[in-house]
Amino acid sequence: MENLMFVYRSCKVIWTLLVTILGYASSLPVGDDSICTAEELAKYSIIFTGKWSQTAFPKQYPLYRPPAQWSSMLGVTHSSDYSMWKKNEYASNGVRDFAEKGEAWVLMKEIEEAGEKIQSVHGIFSAPAISSGTGQTSTELEVHSRHPLVSFVVRIVPSPDWFVGIDSLNLCEGDHWMEEVSVDLFPYDAGTDSGFTFSSPNFATIPQDTVTEITCSSPSHPANSFYYPKLKILPPIAQVTMVKLKKNQLGLPAPYLNLPAKSNEIIDSVSETPLDCEVSQWSSWGLCRGLCRKTGTKIRTRFVLLQPANNGMPCPNLDEETGCEPENCV
């Protein structure tokens, strides 16, 4: 009888221990972030740098109504149970509203609901808009050992539904937090508007497409504002840098801010994208001018669609002349 009681008590202890372990495991997020054993909390300064200059991106560069600029940044620190956006997947209603109109209300609600339902969100962060294509903005964010991933979006203004951002960047490396990380950013299409150019009117994509990266050759259409067929890859349109803050740095201004004005000139001189001249089709030939029974001349013309830039191919002749026989001679 005593042996049976001993076995019973041993099984009960093992069962209690097993339930405790399983309960703790179920509270951890699924994915690579579950193995983060770094200290529980870490703070970072996040600096967004716009590199959208007329030199780097000369085609249809927006100069007014509105000029090239960046929306505010909206981001979140989270576990792998949550996704703000993903390449080749459908954008949520919140991402659609943000990418098309810069409206953050629906996206904020989606983030809050994910945090309440599955405890996958640790915090939300935002940074001010930039009123030009080149410039910087910054803020601070906090990550947790169970929520070490960072995602954010910044809208390209003006654009149909284009944005830049990061999807689930893990700042934890095993038992420590990364000290600093920089990522070049390239444009994405949210798949909800079918415009090709920065100033395209609203034209909903039906059915909705997935989020895709915009490249120098895709979409493969000459009207595309990022279409540079002679390039192998677009230059980065922006960059983000995250720097881990030491405890004595908390609350201090972010590093790399208030750079001298010529910093943007350095960016421009490094990324010079050549742009070839583009001209229209020839017009029809004009009337033949000249004396009867003698060879006359007629002319056709074309006009410039896109001026060359950065040592691109110059424009060809816009007029062409050829011989002809005058008509209606008596």
Side-chain angles (χ1 to χ4, degrees):
M1 186 68 178
E2 289 181 0
N3 289 338
L4 289 175
M5 289 298 294
F6 175 77
V7 171
Y8 171 75
R9 290 193 187 97
S10 299
C11 290
K12 187 175 181 180
V13 169
I14 294 172
W15 174 252
T16 302
L17 182 61
L18 183 60
V19 168
T20 302
I21 293 172
L22 290 175
Y24 174 74
S26 65
S27 69
L28 291 175
V30 178
D32 292 341
D33 49 315
S34 62
I35 60 173
C36 179
T37 57
E39 58 181 333
E40 193 172 61
L41 294 175
K43 279 196 173 183
Y44 283 82
S45 169
I46 179 169
I47 306 102
F48 177 89
T49 304
K51 297 187 174 184
W52 185 19
S53 68
Q54 190 172 9
T55 305
F57 300 91
K59 187 173 183 181
Q60 303 166 4
Y61 189 80
L63 295 173
Y64 57 91
R65 298 183 182 177
Q69 57 191 275
W70 300 96
S71 77
S72 58
M73 172 194 290
L74 182 59
V76 61
T77 56
H78 59 97
S79 69
S80 57
D81 296 320
Y82 171 77
S83 173
M84 176 181 271
W85 66 276
K86 281 192 179 298
K87 183 179 177 180
N88 299 326
E89 294 188 7
Y90 293 105
S92 68
N93 291 335
V95 171
R96 177 200 63 202
D97 286 357
F98 192 87
E100 288 189 13
K101 298 173 283 187
E103 296 177 358
W105 174 252
V106 177
L107 183 54
M108 288 281 289
K109 292 297 290 182
E110 290 175 352
I111 295 171
E112 290 172 3
E113 289 173 2
E116 292 171 359
K117 288 181 180 178
I118 55 177
Q119 302 297 306
S120 58
V121 172
H122 178 72
I124 301 173
F125 59 90
S126 63
I130 304 175
S131 59
S132 62
T134 56
Q136 289 187 325
T137 187
S138 72
T139 188
E140 291 182 2
L141 61 88
E142 184 179 79
V143 284
H144 188 277
S145 57
R146 293 199 298 272
H147 303 86
L149 307 183
V150 175
S151 297
F152 71 83
V153 287
V154 179
R155 181 178 181 243
I156 298 173
V157 183
S159 75
D161 61 340
W162 302 342
F163 69 95
V164 297
I166 278 180
D167 165 38
S168 303
L169 175 66
N170 195 341
L171 293 179
C172 182
E173 291 186 316
D175 62 352
H176 67 279
W177 296 103
M178 299 174 69
E179 290 297 323
E180 182 174 337
V181 59
S182 291
V183 180
D184 287 333
L185 303 177
F186 300 89
Y188 281 89
D189 186 321
T192 61
D193 192 292
S194 298
F196 272 122
T197 66
F198 296 120
S199 57
S200 293
N202 184 36
F203 186 63
T205 302
I206 301 175
Q208 180 177 333
D209 204 350
T210 57
V211 174
T212 55
E213 184 176 352
I214 300 172
T215 70
C216 55
S217 58
S218 178
S220 183
H221 194 290
N224 176 18
S225 291
F226 287 110
Y227 186 70
Y228 297 96
K230 289 191 174 182
L231 295 181
K232 291 184 178 180
I233 186 173
L234 282 177
I237 196 171
Q239 184 183 62
V240 66
T241 300
M242 280 166 274
V243 181
K244 185 174 180 291
L245 297 177
K246 296 179 174 60
K247 290 182 180 180
N248 60 0
Q249 288 181 304
L250 300 183
L252 294 177
Y256 306 136
L257 289 180
N258 301 318
L259 295 178
K262 66 179 183 180
S263 65
N264 285 335
E265 297 171 11
I266 294 172
I267 292 172
D268 289 351
S269 64
V270 170
S271 301
E272 289 192 355
T273 301
L275 185 64
D276 295 340
C277 177
E278 293 182 12
V279 295
S280 68
Q281 297 293 321
W282 286 110
S283 67
S284 56
W285 287 103
L287 295 175
C288 185
R289 299 182 182 277
L291 299 175
C292 288
R293 291 179 293 279
K294 291 187 178 180
T295 301
T297 58
K298 58 183 178 180
I299 297 174
R300 64 178 182 175
T301 61
R302 55 188 173 183
F303 57 91
V304 175
L305 295 173
L306 192 65
Q307 292 288 349
N310 304 328
N311 297 315
M313 188 176 296
C315 294
N317 291 333
L318 302 179
D319 300 314
E320 188 174 66
E321 184 179 293
T322 189
C324 60
E325 294 293 331
E327 299 176 0
N328 301 325
C329 285
V330 178

